[in-house]
Amino acid sequence: MMKILFICTGNTCRSPMAEGIFRQMAREAGAGDMLVCQSAGLSAVEGGPVSPEAALVCGEIGVDISGHRARRITGEELPVWDVFFPMSKTHGYILERAGAPPERIYIPRYIADPFGQGPEAYRACRDKLRGELAVFYGELAGRLGLPPLKGG
């Protein structure tokens, strides 16, 4: 079982969107029982709600993240995760400085923070995440022998 942690700043937009979308991808591919994923923020306010726009645009593609509550990553949990998926190189650098092994940090192409913007910015973020997560899943599938994504 591979354990994946999606990381952003506040854990109210990008990382919960990534967690929900990736969980759906894995489930639809038939790999849901082989992958465990969560999300956290580097400076999250514990228990804060997901951004309404993030919930809206994920709902548009059948992903319900409305019940998500923000949480801050702790140094003690770093050894628990097999792979970290930060939303930027800066997040990856901070994780590495905190003790996450660099070989466990997967850096996607930069995913812009839609925080404080309208639904169109969130849709652009969602769609960028979908593309980056499909590439990430493909790399994991090759390494772990996971079933391929549907339609891809």
Side-chain angles (χ1 to χ4, degrees):
M1 172 118 19
M2 167 84 50
K3 295 183 291 269
I4 303 155
L5 187 65
F6 297 99
I7 296 286
C8 68
T9 305
N11 193 220
T12 60
C13 302
R14 293 173 289 176
S15 60
M17 290 169 70
E19 175 188 354
I21 292 166
F22 190 78
R23 187 174 283 133
Q24 180 189 53
M25 281 181 176
R27 189 172 47 247
E28 288 177 355
D33 58 345
M34 296 175 241
L35 301 167
V36 170
C37 62
Q38 288 184 17
S39 63
L42 296 174
S43 58
V45 176
E46 291 287 334
V50 70
S51 134
E53 295 85 0
L56 170 76
V57 303
C58 282
E60 291 171 352
I61 60 166
V63 175
D64 182 7
I65 62 169
S66 61
H68 174 81
R69 292 294 171 257
R71 72 179 194 87
R72 183 178 299 155
I73 187 172
T74 64
E76 293 77 28
E77 72 178 286
L78 291 176
V80 169
W81 301 102
D82 298 311
V83 180
F84 298 91
F85 186 110
M87 299 298 132
S88 71
K89 288 180 183 173
T90 302
H91 292 129
Y93 173 78
I94 294 167
L95 283 168
E96 190 175 333
R97 299 290 296 168
E103 65 276 7
R104 291 186 180 186
I105 301 171
Y106 175 92
I107 305 287
R109 287 183 298 159
Y110 179 72
I111 298 160
D113 190 352
F115 183 77
Q117 299 178 59
E120 287 310 313
Y122 281 83
R123 284 186 189 100
C125 179
R126 174 200 66 201
D127 295 344
K128 175 82 178 268
L129 279 168
R130 288 172 91 181
E132 292 300 312
L133 291 168
V135 170
F136 175 61
Y137 181 92
E139 290 186 21
L140 288 180
R143 264 193 357 226
L144 304 173
L146 302 174
L149 289 176
K150 301 292 182 209

